[in-house]
Amino acid sequence: MCLFNPAKTPISVLLALLLGAVTAQAGAQVVREGARLSPVTNQQRTVPGFYRLMLGKFEITALSDGTVTLPLDKLLTNTTPAQLKKLLGRAGVDPQAAEISINAYLVHTGERIVLIDTGAGSLFPNGGRILQSLSAAGYSAEDITDVMITHIHGDHSAGLSREGKRVFPNATVHVDGRDADFWLDSSNAAKHPNHASFFAQAKLDLSPYLASGKVRRFGASDELVAGIRALPAPGHTPGHSLFAVESEGKKLVLWGDLIHDMESQFNAPGVAISFDVNQSAAIAQRKIALNDAAAKGYLVGAAHISFPGIGRVLADGSSYRWLPVTYSETGLTSQGKRR
């Protein structure tokens, strides 16, 4: 039912409405003319920064360190060009220049502020944004009490240090003992020539913390702080680890480098990558993790799935599908329950 009757409306009100309409039309015309005159912005970069959700009482913040462009057609192994063309092509991924996210995760437990992985530092032109993302999320490097490294590779640990100094001056660095022993032993470089550059990088990353007594080596299934436990998943590196984060019955498992390319490795988990120190072991760990996540339905965070890299795994016959977390500005699900 219409409540507006022009015949009974005072002329002053009608004039005000008319003036408003004319003004709005003139404004729209200015906008249209301005749009024709305004140049296209030169700022073409998207900077995602951070994404936050709640896990029970824990605050989880995904942090973008940027991206790295990789020739997946040269790096992915245990596959064929035809298979890669099919798997990557249907997702619009350029196998010669695939842009891969570099994600890290911040867990505020209420007692500790834990950063899991640190990004690539200055290694890549589009990486090294961890501190900017941390600041955008309301934190500083000095706030971090603990840094947990899924494994010692530059895109996960190079953000630890800058010019020989600790980036996170108040943090203890937690790293699997097997990974530390392997990568910090320079004699291993000759035995693994395809991975030789990683050994020098490991020393650069960890030396300032080692000198300050700020490195803690952990073992299999150790609880590193209350609510965060290391889960061994060796293969990609000898001490590659997942981290299970749990609060009030809610669970998130951070995968490190179980997945490098979602399109190929979700559909064909047997696809490996040349960065794997032990490819057969890495494949086995990926299959275990995918199956477990699909069966139990907990959240997963992955360093190289498109930012924020948080979602769930669904079984799809012999392959798997990725269900990204639903966007929320409150950290709540559509049912009003915290994730």
Side-chain angles (χ1 to χ4, degrees), residues 57-58 107-114 143 145-146 225-227:
K57 289 185 177 180
F58 289 0
V107 182
H108 194 326
T109 71
E111 298 179 353
R112 313 290 290 182
I113 300 177
V114 181
D143 293 331
T145 61
D146 302 85
V225 303

Side-chain angles (χ1 to χ4, degrees), residues 294-325:
K296 298 177 181 176
Y298 50 73
L299 285 172
V300 166
H304 299 308
I305 289 179
S306 292
F307 183 82
I310 299 177
R312 289 184 169 85
V313 177
L314 303 178
D316 188 9
S318 60
S319 61
Y320 298 88
R321 290 190 293 115
W322 177 249
L323 182 66
V325 70

Side-chain angles (χ1 to χ4, degrees), residues 45-49 63-69 99-104 119-120 124-130 132-133 303-307:
R45 185 182 299 276
T46 296
V47 183
L63 299 169
S64 173
D65 188 60
T67 63
V68 59
T69 300
E99 190 172 7
I100 307 297
S101 289
I102 307 170
N103 307 323
F124 308 129
N126 289 332
R129 300 181 193 157
I130 196 72
Q132 294 94 315
S133 296
H304 299 308
I305 289 179
S306 292
F307 183 82

